[in-house]
């Protein structure tokens, strides 16, 4: 207000006041919303995204929660997360392998149905899908590890002999049997969950986990000697490496090493 | 203020036009809301998959894609470039609402509208205070906040709480705890803020009002000379600030309700006993100049 007494800035003051209040209110509401959004990013381990789903953070920006993928799934594998009941962000599609696994349709109808590309249309071969990675999480209860020939997870695997193989080893308990350990090869596992669904135990010994939980990673600079050798077709380093022998120098003796003398000799141990 | 102001809202219209005509657009609107919901429910309930999906995104007769443009806008500011299908769907929706009025979505399609209308009905029956009335700009601020939060968090933020798509999805795919959200909105409108959600808070309504800023379909107070100041239109209108400029405009000022806040619900047309209002297009600036003889007679009769 100016000194001349005319309240020329009442409108401006009100405007600034209203704006400040709005901005304040929106900041509070926005923070709460952002908190919710951050919370929604934590996808539970047992919830798997459909084939071709973008990495979770990208998926949450791309999925409009329309449910078309769910409708076009011929096996009723996919579900939309319900508010307050299911773990994934409300309205987003997921499946639980132990309940209904992905049947890996050749034409991938769920990806076809997605209008936004949250399920990547670049996925043309279902064998390239990576919904998660199967892990034999419980060797203590797995029947094969106990020495039986259950083999169910191996037999049902849609990528049998590539994603899961049976690796024989000696059964040290019985001493004269073999153990056929179901072994997952992550490079081929699509994470469809048929193995987990089929495990005969009350709780599956093999489970599909999100790959971030299922796997470690190898450092970029690691080389495997045997692979390098195979690639080269010859030993990586030619010839025998014979590093020079070095011994500590001893005072008075120089670098000459005295012959080995045992501290004592066993009786009758002479040559 | 005329003596008619004190009569119950809509009573004269019922007396003059009959109950059906005095509720024509209300009934049509409820039918429309039920129709659009039923379209989506035909599949899950009866196995007739004409329309698949939800209001957020759908596919009709296997060819027509429709996408909620606000949901898609959030997705885009969150950093995702959508596939063409979703973009086409959003453009179609935008084009339609740009012509018929953005907030036609609010009054003729949105599944939350019957709930807030019910809350308002009960609010009036109980004669409750209007309570907290946020400023008109509030919903636009919220719309901005929603887009900002989407951009910052990289998620479709409003979909985490949007009661419209949640209720719709709930009815079609499974409710979860969505009913609690619906009850919360009902109570909010009933006891906290009269017409609070749809007319003051909802950023979806704000978005669609922007979409319909230049819409062709409009309500006009074409017979405003006949107005007997009964105030019934103000009583039923969910955005009643839109009425005055048209109804009380001087000669030469347009009788069209041009505010994008108008939801084109048509309730003012229903409730007016002297038929002041009518649907028309935004280039129809005609306003009747002389008082109808029928109205004159009626007024004299009343006097």
């Amino acid at each position: 207000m100016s000194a001349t007494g005319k309240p020329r800035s009442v409108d401006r003051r009100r405007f600034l006041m209203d704006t400040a209040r709005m901005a304040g209110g929106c900041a509070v509401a926005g923070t709460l919303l952002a908190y919710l959004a951050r919370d929604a990013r934590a996808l539970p381990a047992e919830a798997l995204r459909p084939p071709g789903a973008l990495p979770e953070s990208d998926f949450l920006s791309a999925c409009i929660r329309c449910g078309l993928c769910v409708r076009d799934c011929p096996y009723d594998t996919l579900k939309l997360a319900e508010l307050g009941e299911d773990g994934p962000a409300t309205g987003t599609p997921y499946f639980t392998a132990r309940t209904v696994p992905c049947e890996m349709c050749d034409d991938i109808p769920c990806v076809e149905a997605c209008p936004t590309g949250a399920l990547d249309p670049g996925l043309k071969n279902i064998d390239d899908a990576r919904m998660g990675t199967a892990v034999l999480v419980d060797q203590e209860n797995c029947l094969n590890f106990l020495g039986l020939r259950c083999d169910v997870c191996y037999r049902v695997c849609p990528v049998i002999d590539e994603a899961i193989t049976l690796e024989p080893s000696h059964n040290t308990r019985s001493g004269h049997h073999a153990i056929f350990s179901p072994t997952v090869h992550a490079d081929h596992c699509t994470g469809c969950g048929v193995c987990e669904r089929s495990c005969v135990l009350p709780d599956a010994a093999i489970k599909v986990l999100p790959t971030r939980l299922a796997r470690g990673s190898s450092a970029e600079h690691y080389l495997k000697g045997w692979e390098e050798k195979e690639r080269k077709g010859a030993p990586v380093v030619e010839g025998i490496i014979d590093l020079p022998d070095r011994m500590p120098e001893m005072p008075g003796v120089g670098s000459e090493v005295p012959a080995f003398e045992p501290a004592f000799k066993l009786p009758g141990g002479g040559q | 203020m005329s003596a008619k102001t004190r009569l119950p809202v809509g009573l004269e219209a019922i007396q003059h036009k009959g109950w059906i005509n005095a509720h024509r657009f209300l009934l049509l609107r409820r039918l429309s809301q039920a129709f659009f919901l039923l379209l989506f429910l035909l599949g899950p309930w009866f196995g007739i998959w004409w329309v698949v999906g939800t209001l957020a995104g759908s596919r009709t007769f296997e060819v027509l894609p429709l996408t909620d443009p606000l949901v898609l806008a959030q997705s885009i500011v969150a950093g995702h470039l959508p596939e063409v299908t979703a973009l086409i769907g959003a453009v179609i929706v935008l084009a339609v609402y740009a012509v018929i009025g953005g907030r036609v979505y609010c009054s003729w399609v949105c599944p939350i509208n019957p709930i807030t209308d019910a809350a308002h009905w009960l609010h009036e029956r109980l004669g409750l205070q209007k309570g907290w009335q946020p400023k008109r700009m509030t919903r636009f601020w919220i719309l901005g906040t929603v887009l900002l939060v989407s951009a910052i968090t990289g998620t479709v933020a409003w979909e985490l709480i949007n009661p419209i798509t949640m209720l719709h999805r709930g009815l079609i795919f499974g409710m979860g705890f969505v009913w609690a959200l619906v009850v919360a909105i009902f109570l909010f409108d009933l006891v906290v803020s009269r017409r609070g959600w749809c007319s003051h808070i909802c950023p979806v309504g704000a978005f669609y009002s922007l979409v319909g800023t230049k819409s062709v379909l409009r309500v006009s107070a074409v017979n405003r000379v006949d107005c007997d100041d009964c105030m019934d239109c103000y009583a039923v209108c969910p955005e009643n600030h839109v009425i005055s400029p048209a109804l009380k405009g001087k000669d030469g000022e347009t009788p069209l309700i041009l505010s994008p806040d108008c939801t084109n619900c048509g309730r003012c047309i229903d409730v007016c006993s002297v038929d002041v209002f009518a649907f028309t297009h935004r280039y129809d600036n005609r306003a009747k100049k002389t008082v109808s003889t029928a109205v004159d007679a009626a007024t004299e009769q009343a006097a």
Side-chain angles (χ1 to χ4, degrees):
Chain A
M1 209 177 290
S2 67
T4 53
K6 197 180 177 216
R8 66 179 160 105
S9 59
V10 167
D11 280 351
R12 186 171 66 186
R13 181 169 301 182
R14 179 178 296 158
F15 171 77
L16 288 174
M17 196 66 187
D18 286 349
T19 307
R21 286 174 63 180
M22 286 290 183
C26 285
V28 173
T31 308
L32 290 174
L33 189 58
Y35 181 78
L36 264 181
R38 200 203 56 171
D39 231 29
R41 281 190 214 168
L43 185 67
E46 62 273 24
L48 302 172
R49 291 296 187 198
L54 300 175
E56 188 63 11
S57 61
D58 297 336
F59 184 80
L60 286 180
S61 72
C63 174
I64 59 168
R65 301 137 200 245
C66 63
L68 287 173
C69 54
V70 175
R71 286 298 180 227
D72 284 11
C73 173
Y75 297 99
D76 288 341
T77 298
L78 297 176
K79 284 176 59 181
L80 287 188
E82 291 178 21
L83 181 67
E85 294 202 338
D86 302 313
T90 306
T92 56
Y94 75 101
F95 69 99
T96 312
R98 186 65 168 164
T99 316
V100 191
C102 172
E103 296 289 348
M104 289 175 59
C105 314
D106 283 335
D107 51 349
I108 329 182
C110 49
V111 172
E112 188 81 3
C114 181
T116 65
L119 307 181
D120 184 3
L123 179 70
K124 298 295 180 202
N125 180 356
I126 190 63
D127 288 348
D128 294 337
R130 292 294 176 266
M131 297 167 264
T133 306
V135 183
L136 203 142
V137 290
D138 192 356
Q139 299 190 355
E140 288 174 83
N141 283 312
C142 172
L143 296 180
N144 270 43
F145 269 87
L146 294 176
L148 282 75
R149 291 300 302 273
C150 161
D151 295 2
V152 168
C153 56
Y154 162 76
R155 295 198 176 280
V156 297
C157 177
V159 203
I160 186 170
D161 283 327
E162 291 180 68
I164 303 184
T165 57
L166 293 176
E167 302 295 329
S169 60
H170 180 57
N171 184 342
T172 51
R173 182 182 55 78
S174 71
H176 56 271
H177 294 98
I179 285 177
F180 289 83
S181 346
T183 306
V184 176
H185 303 276
D187 286 347
H188 296 282
C189 176
T190 63
C192 70
V194 172
C195 54
E196 180 179 342
R197 172 75 190 90
S198 311
C199 179
V200 301
L201 297 179
D203 292 300
I206 189 166
K207 289 186 163 76
V208 176
L209 300 176
T211 302
R212 74 192 150 87
L213 296 182
R215 300 206 68 190
S217 63
S218 176
E220 266 178 54
H221 62 282
Y222 287 3
L223 297 176
K224 288 170 185 157
W226 57 95
E227 285 178 1
E228 297 300 314
K229 186 177 170 183
E230 198 173 327
R231 189 174 306 158
K232 195 177 170 193
V236 181
V237 179
E238 282 162 29
I240 296 167
I241 304 172
D242 189 21
L243 297 172
D245 303 321
R246 284 192 187 170
M247 300 296 284
E249 282 191 16
M250 289 184 175
V253 198
S255 59
E256 283 299 312
V257 181
F260 174 70
E261 282 294 326
F264 64 93
K265 290 176 179 164
L266 292 171
Q271 289 159 351
Chain B
M1 203 177 281
S2 81
K4 291 182 176 177
T5 314
R6 276 178 278 279
L7 291 174
V9 173
L11 183 67
E12 285 170 283
I14 294 170
Q15 285 170 349
H16 280 262
K17 309 197 284 191
W19 194 90
I20 294 284
N21 275 329
H23 294 83
R24 194 158 52 114
F25 284 107
L26 183 63
L27 292 171
L28 282 173
R29 214 153 58 74
R30 294 284 177 254
L31 277 177
S32 161
Q33 288 161 345
F35 171 75
F36 283 108
L37 188 57
L38 191 68
L39 275 185
F40 286 93
L41 286 170
L42 279 179
W45 283 7
F46 307 108
I48 304 167
W49 296 102
W50 290 343
V51 180
V52 190
T54 63
L55 282 176
S58 64
R59 194 179 61 220
T60 303
F61 294 123
E62 293 300 319
V63 288
L64 175 69
L66 293 174
T67 316
D68 185 316
L70 177 57
V71 176
L72 203 65
Q74 291 174 77
S75 173
I76 291 169
V77 298
H80 177 73
L81 188 65
E83 292 295 311
V84 180
T85 313
L87 289 171
I88 292 174
V91 167
I92 294 173
V93 171
L94 283 174
V96 170
Y97 284 116
V99 173
I100 65 171
R103 297 206 62 199
V104 165
Y105 177 80
C106 299
S107 57
W108 293 79
V109 179
C110 177
I112 289 291
N113 176 276
I115 289 154
T116 56
D117 272 0
H120 182 252
W121 175 83
L122 190 60
H123 186 107
E124 295 301 295
R125 282 301 288 264
L126 298 176
L128 298 177
Q129 299 286 314
K130 64 182 174 182
W132 180 49
Q133 296 289 287
K135 291 219 158 30
R136 202 157 308 146
M137 288 305 288
T138 306
R139 54 184 161 206
F140 294 101
W141 277 84
I142 294 176
L143 176 61
T145 305
V146 162
L147 290 171
L148 191 66
V149 172
S150 291
I152 291 172
T153 61
T155 58
V156 185
W158 184 245
E159 289 311 286
L160 294 168
I161 46 175
N162 186 356
I164 302 169
T165 46
M166 277 197 184
L167 174 59
H168 195 252
R169 199 188 305 120
L171 291 167
I172 295 162
F173 282 96
M175 278 300 255
F177 280 90
V178 173
W179 60 267
L181 201 65
V182 172
V183 169
I185 287 190
F186 182 87
L187 291 177
F188 176 77
D189 265 29
L190 181 65
V191 296
V192 179
S193 172
R194 183 181 70 181
R195 297 246 192 236
W197 187 262
C198 295
S199 298
H200 294 95
I201 303 288
C202 180
V204 181
F207 176 81
Y208 277 105
S209 82
L210 294 176
V211 172
T213 309
K214 296 288 173 198
S215 77
V216 177
L217 182 67
R218 290 290 181 181
V219 173
S220 172
V222 58
N223 296 328
R224 62 189 174 192
V225 286
D226 292 343
C227 175
D228 58 5
D229 290 328
C230 74
M231 303 294 279
D232 284 0
C233 53
Y234 289 93
V236 295
C237 181
E239 303 276 356
N240 52 28
H241 58 275
V242 309
I243 296 177
S244 292
L247 183 63
K248 299 298 170 194
K250 305 270 185 308
D251 283 346
E253 286 175 349
T254 180
L256 288 166
I257 293 177
L258 288 175
S259 167
D261 288 347
C262 172
T263 68
N264 276 356
C265 71
R267 192 75 184 104
C268 54
I269 305 175
D270 279 349
V271 87
C272 184
S273 61
V274 290
D275 288 330
V276 166
F277 298 97
F279 272 117
T280 182
H281 55 84
R282 75 179 294 122
Y283 308 104
D284 177 15
N285 274 314
R286 284 172 302 145
K288 201 158 63 79
K289 296 280 189 273
T290 51
V291 180
S292 305
T293 46
V295 176
D296 263 349
T299 315
E300 275 163 31
Q301 208 176 1

